[in-house]
Structure formats: C-alpha cells, structure tokens
Amino acid sequence: MRPGGRSARVQASVHTAVRELLSEVGRDALTVPLVAQRAGVTPSTIYRRWGDLQELLSDVAVERLRPETEPEDHGDLRTDMTAWAEQFLDEMASSSGRAYIRDALLGDLDGTNAGQCSAYAAEQIDVVLARARDRGEDAPDVETAMDRIVAPVMYRILFRPAGLDAAYARRIVTEFLGATGEDD
Amino acid sequence: MRPGGRSARVQASVHTAVRELLSEVGRDALTVPLVAQRAGVTPSTIYRRWGDLQELLSDVAVERLRPETEPEDHGDLRTDMTAWAEQFLDEMASSSGRAYIRDALLGDLDGTNAGQCSAYAAEQIDVVLARARDRGEDAPDVETAMDRIVAPVMYRILFRPAGLDAAYARRIVTEFLGATGEDD
C-alpha cells in the first residue's frame, strides 16, 4: 500500500472503524458492510483492498501489535532484557494480545503479517542489544534472542498456555544471558 | 468424544472423507455437505458435532500431527535428540505440516487442539529424555526442551520461516545440550 493520499486515508478510516466496532459490537457481529458504513467507504472498496474480513482483521491486528515505545534503558543488559521480556509476555499473553496474535495469523495468507510481528520483536531486541554493546557489555545476537525469549513466549501462548507469568519471563532471560549474578 | 460405538465410526468416516477430499478437490472446494455425502452422514451430524468446517479441519489436522512411531534409539541422548529434532522440523516445516499446524490453530476455539499438538511433542521428547536417564546420562527436563527445541521450530514456522533446515535443528540441539563433544 502506498503510504500517502487517498489510499492512506481509506486505510486509516477502515482500521479505525474496525477497532471501534470491535469494542462496540464484538468480533462475532462484525461484517464488511458494517465496517464500510462506519468508515464511509463502499463494501467493494474493502473487498478489493483486503479480500475478506479475516484479512482486514489481520492487518488491524498487526497494527495493534506494533510497539509504541522504545525499550526502556535501565543501564545494563540484564535489567533491560528482563524488563522487555516481562512487558512483552504481559502484552502478548493478555486476552487482547492473544486475540490480536490469532487474528494476525489467521487472515495472513502469504505470511507477511506474521513476519511483521516477528520483525517488531526483533527490532526491539536489537535496540536492547545494541545499547549493551555501546556500553561495552557482551551481548548475544538477535536471532539467538528470538529463539530463547520470543519463541518460547509465543509458542506457549499459542500451544501451551499454562504457567506464563513474570517469573517465567525472568527465568528465560536469566538462562539466556547465563546465570551469573544478581538474579534469584 | 467417546472412543467406541457409533460415535467413533462417524468420526472415523468423517475424518477419512476430509482427508480424501483434501487431496482430491483441495481445501478451497471443501464444504460440509461434500464431506457429509462422502462420509455417508447428514450435514447436520457434522454441524452438531464439529460446529463448522474450520473446527472439523482442526480435528483432522491434530490427528495428522500425531506421531506414528516412537523416537529412534541411537544409543545416546545427543544423537537421539538431534535425530528427533531434525525429523520434527522436517515434518512440521513441510508444506503439508504447515497446513496442518495452521488448520489445527484456526479452528481451535478453546485451545484443546493446540494443547494436544504440544502434548505430542512433549511425549516424544519425554521418551528420549527418559531413555537417556535409564542409560545413566544427564538429561534436562522436558519443559526446557520444549522451550529450547520445539518452541523455536514452531515459532519460526509460523512467524519467521527463513533458514529452517537440518543445520538449524542440529544447532539448537547442540546449544541445548551444551557444546561438549562430537558436534561440528
């Protein structure tokens, strides 16, 4: 999608309509004609651009999963990574987070949206790791962090949801960075 | 579902009908009436029992994702775990594996089927780890193996599919067990 002009305005108004209607009428009552009416476009505009409701919901979900802020800087890698992992787990495992992950995957026929979700997490971790290197700390690479922190959190949310709490997030970060220090 | 009697016969014939029709007409042409006709049941039997086509496809997918054999015994933990991870990645990342994972998740309203997929992997890993302990080898616990081997494979299949090959499977097993020995 081009980022400017009419195309961008249509996208913004349709996304807003979906978010509003999701909270007003809920997922099951949502239809393309209802979204079109609220957004002030024709249903065929939506079908042409998004294919169907599930693909539209996937795009909206990815937009909602985009991190709004940079990871916090607490002065050292272990604290930064732990804080990031706790917040990531908290957001993704919440009921709205789970619904967005599910929507993002379901209407994502070519894998673009799932890839975007993964890229968001990788970008955030990259910031944490680059900051650590700038301080002179040893920092693992981002793909290892994806395997050791993001993957188990997302896998457990989708397939094995018991026991997902802040203690779990702290434990996987401690094991990832090596249990050398101030952690319990 | 009770495992015996008419209920089990209906389930078996409906599952068989879905598998046959998937290979004959493909996913997009599959409908509940078509499955019902092939299985010799009424459409309402299917709606009553499965809700809709997506839930039926989820049940069939989980059945297909059930491991058919015990993990091979090669005589030591490292070789067993590596062989299992290579085969797991190979099956799950294949085009039919990806389609089954997707189906299993999509029609799975209460998480039962996703949990079953995860339980299958955990049971297989448990066999590998128990066998190692019986030989007197040190073996990590199954939940750590889920986080370090199953989670990254499944996460990458769904969200980050580049670079998923046998070398990746070997690398995560080597890192999981500690790089102490005969690996490259």
Side-chain angles (χ1 to χ4, degrees):
Chain A
M1 307 292 159
R2 286 175 302 109
R6 179 168 185 281
S7 174
R9 285 197 306 278
V10 167
Q11 173 164 324
S13 64
V14 169
H15 277 215
T16 302
V18 169
R19 288 197 301 272
E20 288 175 1
L21 288 166
L22 278 177
S23 67
E24 290 170 25
V25 305
R27 179 77 38 92
D28 291 345
L30 205 68
T31 62
V32 168
L34 201 60
V35 173
Q37 185 183 36
R38 174 68 62 98
V41 302
T42 63
S44 68
T45 299
I46 293 179
Y47 290 120
R48 232 182 359 251
R49 180 149 175 176
W50 280 279
D52 63 17
L53 185 63
Q54 210 160 55
E55 291 176 62
L56 171 57
L57 283 170
S58 177
D59 282 4
V60 171
V62 171
E63 190 63 31
R64 302 304 278 181
L65 290 168
R66 184 158 55 128
E68 283 166 5
T69 55
E70 289 232 313
E72 289 166 30
D73 186 346
H74 299 278
D76 70 273
L77 174 58
R78 187 173 297 264
T79 312
D80 284 1
M81 200 73 241
T82 303
W84 185 83
E86 284 187 34
Q87 192 186 337
F88 179 74
L89 185 151
D90 197 49
E91 286 174 5
M92 296 294 151
S94 69
S95 62
S96 61
R98 286 171 194 264
Y100 288 135
I101 294 166
R102 197 176 164 80
D103 279 344
L105 282 175
L106 302 208
D108 184 33
L109 301 179
D110 61 0
T112 307
N113 284 348
Q116 185 60 61
C117 291
S118 186
Y120 288 149
E123 284 160 20
Q124 295 258 303
I125 287 178
D126 223 22
V127 169
V128 169
L129 298 176
R131 217 182 251 157
R133 279 184 213 103
D134 285 349
R135 289 187 203 109
E137 295 182 89
D138 275 342
D141 68 291
V142 67
E143 291 303 326
T144 306
M146 295 302 285
D147 283 344
R148 300 287 300 270
I149 296 168
V150 175
V153 168
M154 296 293 277
Y155 174 75
R156 286 181 181 271
I157 286 171
L158 287 167
F159 291 95
R160 203 171 179 82
L164 272 177
D165 54 19
Y168 175 77
R170 287 193 295 272
R171 182 163 66 76
I172 57 178
V173 172
T174 299
E175 287 169 6
F176 169 57
L177 294 176
T180 56
E182 64 280 17
D183 295 271
D184 55 349
Chain B
M1 304 294 158
R2 285 175 303 111
R6 179 165 186 280
S7 173
R9 285 198 306 278
V10 167
Q11 173 165 323
S13 64
V14 169
H15 277 215
T16 302
V18 170
R19 288 197 302 270
E20 288 175 0
L21 289 166
L22 279 177
S23 66
E24 290 170 27
V25 306
R27 178 79 38 94
D28 292 346
L30 205 68
T31 62
V32 168
L34 201 62
V35 172
Q37 186 183 38
R38 175 68 61 98
V41 302
T42 62
S44 67
T45 299
I46 293 180
Y47 290 120
R48 230 180 3 249
R49 180 149 173 175
W50 281 280
D52 63 16
L53 185 62
Q54 210 159 57
E55 289 174 64
L56 171 56
L57 283 169
S58 177
D59 282 4
V60 171
V62 171
E63 190 63 30
R64 301 304 277 180
L65 290 169
R66 185 159 54 128
E68 283 166 4
T69 55
E70 288 233 313
E72 290 165 30
D73 186 346
H74 300 277
D76 70 274
L77 173 60
R78 187 173 296 264
T79 312
D80 284 0
M81 200 73 241
T82 303
W84 185 84
E86 284 187 33
Q87 191 187 338
F88 180 72
L89 186 150
D90 198 49
E91 287 174 4
M92 295 294 152
S94 69
S95 62
S96 61
R98 285 170 195 266
Y100 289 134
I101 293 166
R102 200 179 162 75
D103 280 344
L105 282 176
L106 303 209
D108 184 33
L109 302 179
D110 60 0
T112 307
N113 284 348
Q116 186 59 61
C117 292
S118 186
Y120 288 149
E123 284 160 18
Q124 294 258 304
I125 286 177
D126 224 21
V127 169
V128 169
L129 298 176
R131 217 181 251 156
R133 278 184 214 104
D134 285 348
R135 290 187 202 106
E137 297 182 88
D138 275 342
D141 69 290
V142 67
E143 290 303 325
T144 306
M146 296 302 285
D147 283 343
R148 298 288 298 271
I149 296 168
V150 174
V153 167
M154 295 293 278
Y155 175 75
R156 286 181 181 272
I157 286 172
L158 287 167
F159 291 96
R160 205 172 178 81
L164 271 177
D165 53 21
Y168 175 77
R170 287 193 294 273
R171 182 161 67 75
I172 58 178
V173 172
T174 300
E175 287 168 6
F176 169 57
L177 294 176
T180 55
E182 64 281 15
D183 296 272
D184 53 355

